[in-house]
Amino acid sequence: MKWMGLNELREAYLKFFESKGHLRHKSFPLVPQNDNSLLLINAGMAPLKPYFTGQEVPPKVRMTTCQKCIRTGDIENVGITARHGTFFEMLGNFSFGDYFKEDATAWAWEFITKVLEIPEDRLYVTVYEDDHEAAEIWEKKVGVRKDRIYYLGKEDNFWEAGIDGPCGPCSEIHFDRGEEYGCGKPTCGIGCDCDRYMEFWNLVFTQFERHEDGTYTPLKQRNIDTGMGLERIAALMQGVSSIFDVDTVKAIRDKVCEIAGVSYGEDPKKDISIRVITDHIRSVTFMASDGVLPSNEGRGYVMRRLLRRAVRHAKLLGINGLFLNELVPVVVDNSKCEYNELEEKYDYITKLLTNEEKNFNETIDRGMNLLSEYIEKMEKDGKTVLDGESCFFLSDTYGFPIDLTREILEEKGYTCDEEGFKVCMQHQKETARAARGGSKYMGADETVFHRISKEYHTEFVGYTDMECDTTLDYLTTDDDFVDEAKCGDVVYAVVPKTCFYAESGGQIGDTGMIVTKTGKAKVLDTTKAVAGKTAHKLEVVEGVVSKGQAAHLTVCKESREALMRNHSCAHLLQSALRKVLGDHVHQAGQLVTADRLRFDFSHFSAMNAQELAEVEATVNEWVLSALPIVVKEMPIAEAQKMGAMALFGEKYGEVVRVVSMGDKSVEFCGGTHVANTANIGLFKIVSEASVAAGVRRIEAVTGLGVLKLLAEANETIAQASANLKLSNSAELVARTAAVMQEIKDKNAEISHLNQCMCAGKMDALLEDIKEVKGVRYIIGALEGVKPDMMREFGDKVKAENENIVCLLSTCCDGKANLMCVASKDVLAKGIHAGKIVAKAAAVAGGKGGGRPDSAMAGVPDASKLEEALNTLPEILSEMVK
């Protein structure tokens, strides 16, 4: 067979199906759109679910894609075997009610035998045991020999998503890799578990509807869904046995070996780590390019787990320090020909992964310290198994994979409760699944709007008009259709034409009024329903509104204009942030309301005052430059050529709307905007803060919002001046500085008096020193002394005295505390202040702990402080060696 590179294979496949009338669509983002059933796209057909279910009309009835996918179900096997991986690309050709079995099989055979030139004598086909139609097509129409067609059961050759919904038989194409890959058994053949016969292409014929009672009925619209793993077919064409030997993946693998200074294939243990890093860096790089951020939940947790697993295996290879930034360029260079977003976001991807790698390198040391404490406690308590909850805590909080915990424990002669760990993990998964919410077939949340024809669309005229005439074609509650709504009722209206903008891209939906001949309704919100339908949430305020009535729609002008100012300014803000902070900045979220704009963006440290001032000045400079705002619709390829910025993970069609503000900002955007930047008026940053690892948030106001903010600030200044009895607010700065100095002087005086008071109390306490097993101790109550002063007192006791333990209590400002200190020379005798204070506090219902020489605990029941103090002799008696 001829050798073909992975990128060459992808292009050959997509071009072939383009020649068969298929629309070639760029891979959808890894983050699912409107699908609660998935954290990440895991199959080629997953992003196309709305077309298969009939919820949306596809751009063409024939489509072909190469979809980037991530599956983590077998993550523990990644690296251990040469077959498992988390990231892969899936080639697919799809028919939505167009061609069916005859064309699907013929084109599949043509591609693999004519384009790829795979010898027919090494190919086999399987069909579902009852699908004689498919078998006949393969034999009579396609020309496959009968002895190379195998019937298999439902488990192998029938696809269904659940207890109900579309389903159907499938047909798989297998390649005979040769006897050297076989098991040697006389029964070895298609369906054998050995590695000889490799399935590489699955053709699904969706032709039935399964019902909850287990019966099947034919579908009116029959679909074709095929899937072929790109890495798998590349391995076949390149004559290699593993995806890690495929050209583009091997390039990453070789770079890992270069960084680690090792050779692949010499040490099985090291090979596992090499494969883990090779696979996981592909996954996290692609996830980062689609806007996924490391976190402790959802898809962010998947990303963090993969990244930390890669870092852990790097340490096993002897790689110290940061190394992911050396691998990202290799991933990008080998995939940018198809995924240009990797190159566009290279700086951002590198910074994000490096930042997470740094954080984990710091965390892993703290985790090691905690695990050492667990081992110390196990040794003391005579236990040999670390409980599952502790293992999970190490994993969840410190990123320790269970295999790392197990390995360290085994070195010390201990084991871990892996079943208990799995229970904790399962509980977390169930919690996450519940948080994603319930879903119907293929993850599409079922609403009343799904019962409206998929052909029905709402035309939006609100870019140019704030009023329009339409008809109330549908009125609904949350659950059902209604014919009318009377005064006080809240319903939804779906109309064929609207001037109301539906919430999208962070811009909230319009409000306003709908008037009919018999009633009036206030529009509370406007949202996108499904498949191009717009839902207006109404509260009827006068009379009755009925289904089918003619209606006049009016958008609230004041609110819309404020929204447009804020939305246009959000575009300028992103450009200014990129100018000041760097090109790694990308929008990570946005909320545009009439009152203010909230902009989340990728950045890895807090902005300082100078940076904030520079961003604010830059935006205002562009506002006052009166830049014309131009909106155009154009092919997506043309928009990308002119440098238009797209949102992470957003799903775009072949034609996009581009908003340009001079040469300062060019973005894909479907929102509403002012005509000129001068219409924004003014821009003022209100706050900047962190919202997640690597994500910052700016809140700001524009136009009248700035004037309102200035008025509030002036009111605050006036009130502060009045409180300080100033006749002129210009004196405010000097007066507040003088007041703060007075307070500082008073505090110093109070501190000095407290020190004198404590010195006197210390002398009194030291006159009553007692002893247990050769260790001297004192106890005492310091009423009204604040905790920081008590710490100072304790430090003085242990610094100026030898062979002493001191347990003190205080009750100040309604809060009770215990503190224990121990001089350094008694620590060798087994004394531990943290353990002493924990036991003493428990008597009064408190908790606490700390270092061996100093510790503090809070006590909820102040009435038991004396009782807690009096436990010290007994505690010392047990503790002293």
Side-chain angles (χ1 to χ4, degrees), residues 735-747:
R735 182 60 185 138
T736 51
V739 169
M740 291 306 297
Q741 185 60 48
E742 288 173 19
I743 293 171
K744 184 179 179 181
D745 293 341
K746 294 289 185 186
N747 285 338

Side-chain angles (χ1 to χ4, degrees), residues 837-863:
V837 83
K839 288 185 178 182
V843 173
K847 292 182 179 179
R851 303 193 312 270
D853 65 329
S854 180
M856 185 169 281
V859 175
D861 189 352
S863 67

Side-chain angles (χ1 to χ4, degrees), residues 140-151:
K140 302 289 177 62
K141 300 291 178 68
V142 181
V144 178
R145 280 172 26 197
K146 190 173 184 178
D147 64 341
R148 289 182 173 267
I149 301 171
Y150 286 75
Y151 289 89

Side-chain angles (χ1 to χ4, degrees), residues 348-416:
Y348 165 77
I349 294 167
T350 305
K351 286 188 178 183
L352 176 67
L353 299 187
T354 300
N355 190 62
E356 180 69 11
E357 187 181 5
K358 280 181 183 175
N359 290 341
F360 182 50
N361 280 338
E362 295 170 4
T363 305
I364 200 169
D365 292 333
R366 294 200 297 271
M368 286 295 296
N369 291 335
L370 179 61
L371 183 52
S372 296
E373 288 183 23
Y374 286 158
I375 292 171
E376 181 184 335
K377 190 173 187 304
M378 288 168 63
E379 182 181 349
K380 182 180 177 182
D381 296 343
K383 295 181 179 179
T384 58
V385 181
L386 182 63
D387 62 276
E389 290 84 354
S390 298
C391 294
F392 177 74
F393 185 74
L394 282 166
S395 169
D396 192 47
T397 304
Y398 295 102
F400 270 45
I402 187 67
D403 53 351
L404 170 58
T405 303
R406 184 197 313 120
E407 181 180 325
I408 295 170
L409 287 169
E410 286 175 351
E411 290 173 1
K412 303 290 185 180
Y414 300 108
T415 58
C416 56

Side-chain angles (χ1 to χ4, degrees), residues 44-61:
M45 57 76 65
L48 307 174
K49 289 176 183 180
Y51 306 145
F52 283 112
T53 60
Q55 293 170 13
E56 295 184 21
V57 178
K60 196 169 183 180
V61 291

